[in-house]
Amino acid sequence: MPHDFQKLPEKDGMFSNINFKMKQIVFRFMKKADSDLEYFENEANALKEYPKSRFLEVVQDVGFECDFCGKCCTHAFNDHVYLLKDDVSRLLEIDSNALMPSPYFDFCDQDGRFYVSGYSLKTQSDDVGSCVFLENNRCRIYDKRPLICRVYPYMIHREEDDSGSYDWREISGLNEHGLYGAEMNENEAAEIYEITKKYESGYINQEIEFLKAVSNHFEKNKLKHIPKVYDKRIRDFEKGEIVTVFVYYNGIFHEHQTQK
């Protein structure tokens, strides 16, 4: 995504102070957007090369079995449930009030408005932040639950481990919930692989689409991502103030007023 900043207006052969500051701000935003885009494009390529045989070996060896503890359905254990576009479309028909902007905002314009790549599920106000659809330790929409809920605890995701090694992980929350050592044949493992890869690929593609869209949106509307404004509005949000968040969904930025 090349950007030619030499075409910004000049004054007496040099950038005016205002235009120079604008150039720096635009450059910082484009650098962040380009860096994030490059990361996700690299992850997409790596996912294509990921060996299916490795996943099958790992999940069959672990033999995870759900024991209905309900831990994975809480904010305390799993932070938040990030939704793909198809999940959102389905959940809007069930209960639109169950959705919220994903809590980790990506960008903020000069007017203090945030931008984020998607929606997440709301949580209840109990001690552990149970999912809004969790009732008596069971999911009320189990047959229509989001893809990430169908996949969990499986994943095909690269991240650093405790030793700083950057490598693939296939199981989340290992030895922290559920049962282990259950028998799993290769066909069962292969089905889990296909749905897990579908989620991971969908997530990466959604992030890539968002980053391209937000870059175009900022450029078209002469918006600027300013770190100082971002930091201030995050502090305001943490204090309980209402903030404006634009959520990217189905090719459009949807405006929301949200409060922590």
Side-chain angles (χ1 to χ4, degrees), residues 29 106-109 113-119 206-221 223 244-256:
F29 166 74
D106 296 285
F107 298 97
C108 180
D109 65 27
R113 300 173 300 188
F114 291 109
Y115 298 77
V116 72
S117 64
Y119 289 98
Q206 188 159 303
E207 291 289 340
I208 289 173
E209 183 180 336
F210 161 72
L211 288 166
K212 291 179 178 179
V214 78
S215 291
N216 291 334
H217 179 76
F218 269 52
E219 184 175 359
K220 178 181 178 181
N221 294 283
L223 299 174
T244 299
V245 183
F246 286 92
V247 182
Y248 187 71
Y249 163 64
N250 212 19
I252 299 172
F253 286 100
H254 299 263
E255 183 175 352
H256 295 267

Side-chain angles (χ1 to χ4, degrees), residues 80-94:
H80 71 289
V81 177
Y82 183 82
L83 304 171
L84 301 185
K85 182 173 68 173
D86 289 346
D87 297 323
V88 174
S89 299
R90 187 167 61 255
L91 291 170
L92 283 173
E93 297 179 355
I94 297 172

Side-chain angles (χ1 to χ4, degrees), residues 8-102:
L8 289 176
E10 297 183 24
K11 181 178 180 180
D12 298 330
M14 297 178 65
F15 285 104
S16 68
N17 287 337
I18 293 176
N19 284 330
F20 182 69
K21 289 179 181 178
M22 181 178 73
K23 175 185 176 183
Q24 288 181 314
I25 290 168
V26 172
F27 177 75
R28 284 196 297 268
F29 166 74
M30 292 302 185
K31 186 176 181 180
K32 171 174 167 50
D34 284 355
S35 176
D36 291 351
L37 182 60
E38 182 180 10
Y39 165 79
F40 282 109
E41 287 177 338
N42 287 338
E43 290 302 298
N45 291 330
L47 183 61
K48 291 177 183 177
E49 301 298 323
Y50 175 86
K52 178 179 178 180
S53 58
R54 168 174 170 158
F55 185 88
L56 301 186
E57 180 180 353
V58 170
V59 300
Q60 285 183 279
D61 181 59
V62 170
F64 175 82
E65 184 177 4
C66 177
D67 64 354
F68 304 101
C69 68
K71 271 187 174 182
C72 62
C73 304
T74 66
H75 172 78
F77 189 78
N78 260 337
D79 198 58
H80 71 289
V81 177
Y82 183 82
L83 304 171
L84 301 185
K85 182 173 68 173
D86 289 346
D87 297 323
V88 174
S89 299
R90 187 167 61 255
L91 291 170
L92 283 173
E93 297 179 355
I94 297 172
D95 182 4
S96 60
N97 291 322
L99 306 182
M100 68 175 189
S102 284

